[in-house]
Amino acid sequence: MDIFQKFYDNKNEKNAYYMAKYIKNMFPFIGLKKPERVSLSKEFLKLKKKDKEVDWDFIFKCYDMPEREFHYLAIDYMDMVKNLFTPMDMENIEKLITRKSWWDTVDYINRIVGHVAMRYPEVKENTIRRWIYSDNIWLKRVSIIFQLKYKENTDTEFLKEAILHNSQSDEFFINKAIGWALREYSKTNKEWVKEFIDNNELSKLSVREGSKYLNK
C-alpha cells in the first residue's frame, strides 16, 4: 500500500490553502483534514501496528516529505506503537522535536515523550532534564509540559526546575507552556500552583494561563 500516493490522490487545494494559513504558512499541505487523513491511513496503520520494533525509516521518510500531513502520519504511527519505545529511541525523538518544528507536531510528540518517561523514569533524568537547558525552544517546551497528564504522579521539583530556568523568557511558546503546565496541575493540586505563582516571578501570560482554575 503506497500511503504517500494515496494521500496525494486526495489532494484538496482549497483546504491546503487554509490549513497552511492556520499555521502561518510554515509548511505546505495536501489539504487533508484530520477525519479524512485518519480514514485514508486507517488500513495502513492497522498493518503497521503489528510492527515488533519502531520503524524509524518510515518515520524519517515521512518527515522528509514537504507536506505537513506526512509529518502528522509519522506521529499517528508513533502514537499507535508508543509501547515499543524505549530510552534508546529518545535520541531520534529529540531529532523529530527539533526538525520542522511548530506547536502542532511538537505538542503531539510531547504526549509520546510523556508516555515513554512514565514507563522509563530514567528518561526524565538522562534526557529531558538536559532539554530544560537547551537553546532550542521546542525542547524547552517539552521539558515543561511532558508531565501534563501525570496528575498526582507529577514530579513537582522537576516541574519547578523546568519552569524557573525558563521563566524569564520572552518566547511566547515557552511562557504559554509554563501557564499550561501550571493550569493542568492545578486540577490536581490547586494549593501548590497558587503558592508557586504567588512566590515566583512569571510572565503575565504564564500567570493568566496558570491561574484559570484557581478560583473555581
Side-chain angles (χ1 to χ4, degrees):
M1 183 189 300
D2 188 345
I3 191 64
F4 299 98
Q5 190 57 51
K6 195 172 184 180
F7 274 25
Y8 282 131
D9 287 344
N10 288 272
K11 185 176 178 68
N12 184 315
E13 291 186 6
K14 184 178 179 182
N15 285 348
Y17 171 81
Y18 288 106
M19 290 168 79
K21 188 177 180 182
Y22 178 67
I23 61 165
K24 302 184 183 297
N25 294 302
M26 296 286 292
F27 307 96
F29 280 78
I30 297 171
L32 303 177
K33 293 185 177 179
K34 185 176 180 180
E36 187 177 7
R37 187 185 85 239
V38 169
S39 176
L40 289 172
S41 61
K42 185 177 180 180
E43 289 304 313
F44 174 81
L45 290 176
K46 192 174 177 182
L47 291 172
K48 293 295 289 174
K49 191 175 184 179
K50 298 175 182 177
D51 285 356
K52 300 301 182 188
E53 57 185 37
V54 179
D55 187 349
W56 280 107
D57 288 339
F58 169 70
I59 293 169
F60 284 122
K61 183 179 180 183
C62 287
Y63 259 74
D64 284 340
M65 306 295 278
E67 292 89 359
R68 200 59 163 166
E69 285 92 343
F70 294 117
H71 313 158
Y72 297 156
L73 175 63
I75 302 169
D76 286 341
Y77 165 72
M78 291 171 69
D79 189 48
M80 187 162 280
V81 299
K82 60 181 177 286
N83 287 334
L84 295 179
F85 287 100
T86 73
M88 298 292 289
D89 293 298
M90 291 307 297
E91 183 178 348
N92 280 333
I93 289 176
E94 182 170 333
K95 287 178 184 175
L96 285 192
I97 293 171
T98 58
R99 189 178 175 201
K100 299 184 177 179
S101 312
W102 200 240
W103 63 265
D104 56 333
T105 52
V106 170
D107 290 357
Y108 200 165
I109 296 170
N110 172 70
R111 299 209 300 260
I112 296 162
V113 171
H115 180 78
V116 178
M118 179 69 86
R119 296 186 76 205
Y120 302 96
E122 65 268 30
V123 163
K124 184 176 64 178
E125 298 301 327
N126 297 341
T127 302
I128 305 176
R129 188 178 295 281
R130 174 170 51 79
W131 294 353
I132 295 174
Y133 303 94
S134 170
D135 292 330
N136 183 282
I137 67 164
W138 302 108
L139 292 176
K140 287 176 177 287
R141 182 174 169 90
V142 173
S143 76
I144 295 164
I145 63 173
F146 79 98
Q147 299 188 85
L148 280 178
K149 302 300 179 186
Y150 282 23
K151 298 181 180 178
E152 65 277 358
N153 293 314
T154 299
D155 182 338
T156 53
E157 284 304 309
F158 192 99
L159 178 61
K160 181 178 178 181
E161 180 180 347
I163 291 176
L164 292 183
H165 181 74
N166 294 292
S167 61
Q168 302 308 305
S169 172
D170 58 2
E171 170 56 57
F172 171 83
F173 288 108
I174 298 297
N175 290 325
K176 186 82 170 178
I178 290 171
W180 189 10
L182 291 172
R183 184 178 76 234
E184 195 64 25
Y185 188 53
S186 73
K187 297 175 185 177
T188 299
N189 192 334
K190 204 175 277 191
E191 292 73 22
W192 188 94
V193 172
K194 186 178 188 313
E195 184 178 341
F196 184 84
I197 289 174
D198 288 345
N199 290 294
N200 292 286
E201 188 177 333
L202 304 173
S203 74
K204 289 179 181 178
L205 173 60
S206 298
V207 172
R208 185 170 69 248
E209 290 291 322
S211 301
K212 277 188 176 175
Y213 299 134
L214 293 185
N215 297 317
K216 291 184 178 180

